[in-house]
Amino acid sequence: MPTLFRGLSGRLLWLTVIFVMLAEILIFMPSIASMRMNWLRDRLDTAAAAGIVIDGLQPAELPRAVQNDTLLATGTKVIALRKDGTSRLLAATEVPPEIDAQYDLADTSLITSMRDTLDTLVFGGGRVMRVFGPIGESDMIIELVMTDDALRKDMLKYSKMMFIISILISLMTAVLIFVAINRMMILPIRRLTHSMQLFSEQPDDPSRVFTADRSRGELAVAGRHLAAMQVELQRTLKQQKNLADLGLAVSKINHDMRNILASAQLMSDRLTDVEDPMVRSFAPKLLRTIDRAVGYTNEVLAYGQASEAAPRRRRINLSVLTQEVKDMLAIDPDSGVEFADQISTDLEVDGDGEQIFRVIHNLCRNAVQALLAYDPDDPQASRRITVSAHRLGSVVSITIDDTGPGMPRKARENLFSAFRGSARSGGTGLGLVIARELVLAHGGTIALVEKPGPGTQFRIEIPDRPVALDDYRVRA
């Protein structure tokens, strides 16, 4: 029993009973008003039949005993017949009663009839009423005077019967609706709820994914969406676990790698003392490379905690930075891959040199890998990486374009998503994720640009820092 009151199906059951009863109440008043009018018309018809017989005996007057029997048979106190403009008293008690109310059945609207019905039902009993109406299609009018006791008694019986019928109808309707709704809605909803509860207890268990049916109903569609969401959540949880495991492994490797790089840094410092001209030319680049590697190892844990260091911005020469990227890539001249630097030597960008270097290096390294694995149909086709940039107002736009095979559709759909946006098999896609995070830290944007020819093109836009008013005044 408590379930019938607390559950959704139980509440629907009782609401159906209540609504059907309300509908029956609205129907009850016109119905009982019609019953009252029919009751009164029956009395008029019965009295009219007796009145016509009595009127045919004129001018004789009925004996008192016959009048009493007539009044008793019709349940009236007075019977009168109005004919040809004159009214004749056909039968009456010895002492006619005083009239409390009168009703003209020939001129009664529905509203008036319902009002009189409610008055009789609530306040009736022991009152004397005068009722009159035409006899058939004639111009004769029959008039009755009687108490409303019998009328009210029959009305109460009718009300009781209507109440019982209404209860039965409402219960039958409620049960049918309950069974139908329980089958079409409640059971599927309970199934969805049970599936969500089981899935929440062990979300990594594939057997707990909701099995949706293929019907077209709204709940079936919701079930399919729930199943898809659970599958996607499991995939996300698996990726998060992989990230956590990767972060732990990288942290362990980072500790030892930092010590190794520190030792290499100390040993490489001695290369500056070597007299060999070639060693002297490569030593500064080697030192910068090792310094960057040491810096990367120090920032690995920060990235694992989803917090890159804030950019240390200053004016840097973009052409020099691009040349360092080219040297770092160390593209084999025999590979057929060409690196084209089309940046003006005096173009400067307001940013963190190391972070901008990482952005350009990640994108160019991806391009080199794509070009090395690319086997074009035309042997004469060029394999080129072009880095260009220009300034427009306070924004520097950097374009990295290659003539490779372009990004696969899956990589485009999951662009900048770790472990899903890689353009090559076995890749992680972290390079693009890191590049996007560093560009956003500068307040800039990075986007894949659609191009008419083959290849991949990225555009990076880095705005200058806004100049503080106090600094401007000091400079002025």
Side-chain angles (χ1 to χ4, degrees):
M1 180 62 70
T3 304
L4 289 180
F5 287 97
R6 296 178 183 176
L8 177 60
S9 56
R11 290 196 292 269
L12 287 173
L13 175 66
W14 294 116
L15 282 175
T16 303
V17 172
I18 293 172
F19 292 155
V20 172
M21 289 299 296
L22 290 175
E24 291 290 342
I25 290 173
L26 296 177
I27 297 173
F28 171 73
M29 285 307 300
S31 176
I32 195 171
S34 176
M35 172 264 172
R36 172 180 171 275
M37 292 294 293
N38 291 334
W39 192 93
L40 293 175
R41 286 195 180 97
D42 288 342
R43 291 297 186 275
L44 284 181
D45 292 341
T46 302
I52 291 175
V53 173
I54 296 172
D55 184 60
L57 299 176
Q58 61 178 338
E61 182 178 347
L62 289 178
R64 169 53 49 189
V66 176
Q67 291 189 35
N68 291 338
D69 291 341
T70 302
L71 295 175
L72 181 62
T74 57
T76 59
K77 301 293 184 180
V78 175
I79 301 176
L81 180 64
R82 193 183 307 168
K83 179 180 178 183
D84 299 331
T86 61
S87 180
R88 179 188 175 190
L89 188 63
L90 302 179
T93 58
E94 293 181 358
V95 181
E98 183 178 352
I99 296 174
D100 297 318
Q102 58 181 0
Y103 304 106
D104 181 6
L105 300 188
D107 184 21
T108 303
S109 64
L110 178 61
I111 301 299
T112 303
S113 178
M114 292 173 59
R115 181 196 65 194
D116 296 338
T117 299
L118 186 62
D119 179 69
T120 302
L121 191 62
V122 177
F123 303 106
R127 297 192 300 185
V128 178
M129 57 181 177
R130 173 175 171 261
V131 183
F132 55 93
I135 300 176
E137 299 296 332
S138 66
D139 57 355
M140 293 186 296
I141 297 176
I142 189 73
E143 298 183 16
L144 303 178
V145 176
M146 57 184 174
T147 63
D148 63 354
D149 292 333
L151 173 61
R152 186 170 185 271
K153 182 179 179 181
D154 288 346
M155 290 174 63
L156 290 175
K157 289 181 180 179
Y158 182 82
S159 301
K160 182 178 179 181
M161 180 186 67
M162 287 293 295
F163 178 75
I164 294 174
I165 293 175
S166 299
I167 289 292
L168 293 177
I169 292 176
S170 62
L171 288 177
M172 290 178 61
T173 305
V175 169
L176 292 175
I177 293 178
F178 171 79
V179 172
I181 292 181
N182 197 60
R183 181 178 179 83
M184 294 186 298
M185 291 183 57
I186 305 303
L187 291 180
I189 290 176
R190 286 177 180 171
R191 186 164 169 258
L192 286 172
T193 306
H194 182 64
S195 174
M196 289 188 285
Q197 182 179 359
L198 288 179
F199 185 83
S200 64
E201 293 173 355
Q202 198 170 350
D204 57 344
D205 186 359
S207 64
R208 302 201 176 193
V209 174
F210 181 74
T211 304
D213 55 51
R214 306 307 302 174
S215 60
R216 297 183 179 181
E218 289 83 356
L219 291 177
V221 174
R224 290 194 289 271
H225 283 293
L226 174 63
M229 181 181 66
Q230 290 176 343
V231 170
E232 184 65 24
L233 180 59
Q234 283 188 345
R235 185 182 297 112
T236 302
L237 290 175
K238 184 177 180 180
Q239 291 176 355
Q240 294 296 327
K241 184 178 182 300
N242 291 341
L243 281 174
D245 294 341
L246 177 63
L248 179 61
V250 169
S251 299
K252 294 177 180 178
I253 296 172
N254 178 72
H255 180 269
D256 296 333
M257 183 65 70
R258 184 171 50 186
N259 294 334
I260 295 172
L261 289 174
S263 300
Q265 189 176 29
L266 292 175
M267 290 184 292
S268 61
D269 287 340
R270 301 177 182 177
L271 294 176
T272 57
D273 299 330
V274 178
E275 299 297 334
D276 191 327
M278 181 174 294
V279 173
R280 283 182 173 274
S281 64
F282 280 107
K285 296 179 181 179
L286 178 62
L287 289 174
R288 286 196 299 271
T289 302
I290 295 178
D291 288 341
R292 285 196 179 99
V294 172
Y296 292 166
T297 57
N298 290 330
E299 293 176 0
V300 164
L301 292 179
Y303 178 76
Q305 298 170 357
S307 58
E308 281 283 351
R312 295 182 289 273
R313 303 182 70 160
R314 59 185 180 84
R315 289 279 180 172
I316 56 175
N317 188 289
L318 192 56
S319 178
V320 174
L321 191 67
T322 305
Q323 186 62 40
E324 292 181 4
V325 171
K326 179 181 179 180
D327 295 339
M328 187 75 169
L329 292 174
I331 301 175
D332 186 356
D334 297 332
S335 64
V337 177
E338 179 184 353
F339 188 97
D341 180 3
Q342 297 181 357
I343 300 178
S344 174
T345 56
D346 59 351
L347 180 61
E348 292 184 340
V349 61
D350 183 11
D352 186 314
E354 291 300 322
Q355 292 187 1
I356 299 297
F357 175 89
R358 291 171 63 186
V359 173
I360 299 176
H361 179 263
N362 281 336
L363 295 177
C364 291
R365 183 184 57 194
N366 289 345
V368 170
Q369 292 172 348
L371 288 171
L372 290 176
Y374 179 45
D375 187 13
D377 297 334
D378 184 5
Q380 302 299 324
S382 62
R383 292 190 292 177
R384 181 186 299 108
I385 302 171
T386 303
V387 182
S388 59
H390 66 277
R391 173 177 286 278
L392 183 62
S394 61
V395 177
V396 174
S397 177
I398 306 171
T399 301
I400 300 173
D401 189 10
D402 67 64
T403 59
M407 297 192 71
R409 182 177 61 86
K410 182 180 178 182
R412 289 174 177 267
E413 293 175 354
N414 300 282
L415 200 63
F416 305 120
S417 296
F419 301 101
R420 299 177 63 186
S422 176
R424 60 187 176 88
S425 176
T428 62
L430 286 174
L432 290 177
V433 176
I434 295 172
R436 180 176 181 272
E437 184 174 349
L438 295 176
V439 170
L440 292 179
H442 283 76
T445 60
I446 178 172
L448 178 66
V449 181
E450 295 292 339
K451 52 183 294 189
T456 303
Q457 182 179 120
F458 280 94
R459 178 178 295 126
I460 305 165
E461 295 179 339
I462 304 293
D464 294 343
R465 288 170 295 174
V467 178
L469 187 59
D470 292 340
D471 293 343
Y472 172 77
R473 288 172 177 171
V474 169
R475 293 175 184 176

